[in-house]
Amino acid sequence: MALFERLYSQGHEEVVYFSDPTCNLKVIVAIHNTILGPALGGTRMWQYSSEEDALEDVLRLSKGMTYKAAVSGLNLGGGKAVIIGDPVKDKSEALFRSYGRFIESLNGRYITAEDVNIGVSDIDHIYTETNNVTGVDIAHGGSGNPSPWTALGVFRGIEASALKVFGDRSLDGKVVALQGAGSVGCYLGELLHKAGARIYFTDINEKNIERFKEAAPNAEFVGVNDIYDVECDIYAPCALGATVNDETIDRLKCKIVAGAANNQLKEPRHGDILRQKNILYAPDYLINAGGLMNVSIEFEGWTDAKARRMVDTIYDTTLKIFKISDEKDIPIYQATDFLAEERLRSIKAIKGSYLGNLGHRFPGRKNRHMH
Ligand code: NAD
């Protein structure tokens, strides 16, 4: 498909390619939608096998950010960036500072943050050249690690799901099968443990397994492939996407699927199958939005209390989506998109009228008359 056809069909506003041969920088920034505010989304660094793959990834991810911000009630648009390169060999101060200067040239339309293979020290170099970056170190006035906030949001989503399925938000005595004891998984394990849940977990990384056992001492380890067969109330995917697929869906013995991983359903039809099986699926891009919520308050001055208040709203929004799903008799993944699209439509509509202050909008014209 030709590029503009592709952008039109998915609704992207802008795609920018930045290159700087002096430091080997190759980056694509995609701004999907700015109806609600500046496009915020992280930068991913990856050795893509082709430029086409990199473009495909950034288009898909930036659209996802529009929906995540919209459904979370944030005044942010959707954007994302990909740096094409080897994160082990190609990182340098010059590369990130050059990238920061390019971000600055977008004049605030795009704000970046961490994503896969981009850490706080890389963000600090970007921050040297532009203010349009979040996820900055707490020492420099930023909001630090987003993972505990993502975990808290997932925990709220699980509580809302428990209320819907069991009539009580308490997780005391509930059995959880948690896949992926990484940054988010480990914080989530700690919250679940404190709430009295019984946890079965899996991972492939020894260090993370040990750390998880310290965070949730009652948790029992199961094999990587056995996690789908655990008799449980809640399956919490916190490792990879697409784990609800043709191979796993008949093995799941849970009543709720709710976790941090992005794009848990391999295909939309797996959301339909979960519904037929009477398994409640918590909307993934809403319940894992705690990290985004956390960085979104960085510009107004981050505090722990503000972040907590915002992330706690995930509980009510999750319930609202369950209600839409029931009322409209549609699967939850469709109800989540519906809520996001409804907000985008309604906010776009109020921006239709002229607000006056011509001088402000065309300062050059005003100045000509003045001088
Ligand atoms: P992470 O890399 O710290 O943790 C992922 C964990 O999954 C690792 O411990 C890894 O060893 C494990 N893993 C990988 N393959 C596995 C397998 N086949 N079976 C079991 N475990 C496996 O990542 P994270 O930051 O904790 O993020 C977890 C998920 O949540 C990702 O899908 C990420 O995209 C999503 N997410 C994270 C955030 C955030 O704030 N970090 C925000 C939104 C969404």
Side-chain angles (χ1 to χ4, degrees):
M1 203 192 289
L3 182 56
F4 277 111
E5 235 175 275
R6 222 157 135 187
L7 302 186
Y8 280 4
S9 71
Q10 297 185 61
H12 290 84
E13 291 177 12
E14 185 174 358
V15 177
V16 189
Y17 289 72
F18 291 133
S19 72
D20 185 348
T22 66
C23 54
N24 212 7
L25 176 71
K26 292 181 197 143
V27 55
I28 314 175
V29 177
I31 297 176
H32 176 254
N33 185 300
T34 55
I35 289 173
L36 298 173
L40 195 155
T43 299
R44 176 169 292 197
M45 188 165 187
W46 199 256
Q47 260 187 308
Y48 290 97
S49 45
S50 68
E51 288 172 10
E52 171 54 34
D53 283 0
L55 177 65
E56 184 61 36
D57 208 26
V58 79
L59 292 179
R60 180 180 62 84
L61 293 165
S62 58
K63 185 173 178 185
M65 292 308 292
T66 297
Y67 277 69
K68 186 182 277 212
V71 84
S72 304
L74 299 173
N75 293 317
L76 291 171
K80 204 91 181 182
V82 294
I83 295 178
I84 303 171
D86 181 341
V88 178
K89 287 198 252 145
D90 297 334
K91 281 190 183 185
S92 66
E93 177 187 351
L95 180 138
F96 287 109
R97 288 187 62 172
S98 174
Y99 175 43
R101 293 168 72 82
F102 282 125
I103 293 176
E104 181 67 13
S105 76
L106 294 174
N107 216 7
R109 267 176 63 70
Y110 172 66
I111 300 167
T112 199
E114 288 95 347
D115 196 72
V116 176
N117 291 327
I118 298 292
V120 175
S121 56
D122 307 321
I123 290 291
D124 273 353
H125 292 315
I126 297 172
Y127 186 44
T128 307
E129 302 290 343
T130 181
N131 271 328
N132 296 322
V133 56
T134 54
V136 171
D137 203 327
I138 290 188
H140 299 149
S143 62
N145 180 9
S147 299
W149 300 101
T150 302
L152 179 63
V154 173
F155 184 76
R156 294 284 176 250
I158 293 177
E159 284 183 310
S161 306
L163 180 73
K164 171 84 178 145
V165 172
F166 306 113
D168 184 353
R169 76 186 275 180
S170 164
L171 300 173
D172 194 15
K174 294 286 178 289
V175 182
V176 182
L178 193 153
Q179 180 181 43
S183 310
V184 180
C186 193
Y187 286 110
L188 180 62
E190 192 177 342
L191 291 169
L192 289 166
H193 171 68
K194 285 185 179 152
R198 268 179 54 210
I199 306 167
Y200 293 88
F201 79 105
T202 192
D203 204 293
I204 50 171
N205 177 316
E206 265 317 311
K207 218 171 87 207
N208 290 357
I209 292 170
E210 287 314 309
R211 197 183 48 174
F212 190 90
K213 282 184 186 157
E214 282 167 31
N218 70 340
E220 232 174 89
F221 181 81
V222 298
V224 167
N225 197 31
D226 301 330
I227 196 78
Y228 305 108
D229 303 312
V230 173
E231 290 273 1
C232 62
D233 298 301
I234 298 139
Y235 163 56
C238 298
L240 320 157
T243 60
V244 179
N245 55 46
D246 286 342
E247 282 74 49
T248 61
I249 204 157
D250 284 331
R251 292 167 59 188
L252 294 178
K253 296 180 180 62
C254 56
K255 297 178 190 71
I256 293 166
V257 174
N262 283 311
N263 305 318
Q264 291 162 27
L265 307 175
K266 181 153 191 210
E267 294 167 41
R269 69 184 171 84
H270 295 110
D272 303 326
I273 302 173
L274 284 181
R275 191 160 178 249
Q276 284 152 20
K277 287 177 163 289
N278 218 9
I279 297 176
L280 184 78
Y281 160 68
D284 55 3
Y285 67 79
L286 168 68
I287 76 165
N288 73 17
L292 175 65
M293 290 176 164
N294 182 54
V295 295
S296 78
I297 54 175
E298 215 168 290
F299 289 108
E300 56 189 73
W302 180 87
T303 69
D304 185 274
K306 253 192 240 177
R308 195 165 297 275
R309 263 201 310 279
M310 194 177 261
V311 175
D312 282 348
T313 63
I314 288 177
Y315 179 80
D316 284 334
T317 312
T318 305
L319 291 177
K320 193 166 164 183
I321 287 168
F322 293 155
K323 194 156 169 254
I324 294 171
S325 156
D326 287 345
E327 284 171 0
K328 293 192 171 299
D329 197 18
I330 54 175
I332 284 157
Y333 72 90
Q334 285 177 16
T336 319
D337 287 357
F338 173 85
L339 189 62
E341 284 163 7
E342 194 51 34
R343 180 156 181 251
L344 288 164
R345 246 194 315 273
S346 65
I347 301 305
K348 188 173 184 180
I350 66 158
K351 292 189 176 173
S353 46
Y354 175 61
L355 292 179
N357 201 357
L358 191 66
H360 215 80
R361 287 183 169 224
F362 302 105
R365 191 176 297 180
K366 191 178 171 195
N367 290 345
R368 225 171 24 214
H369 287 295
M370 277 162 59
H371 297 293

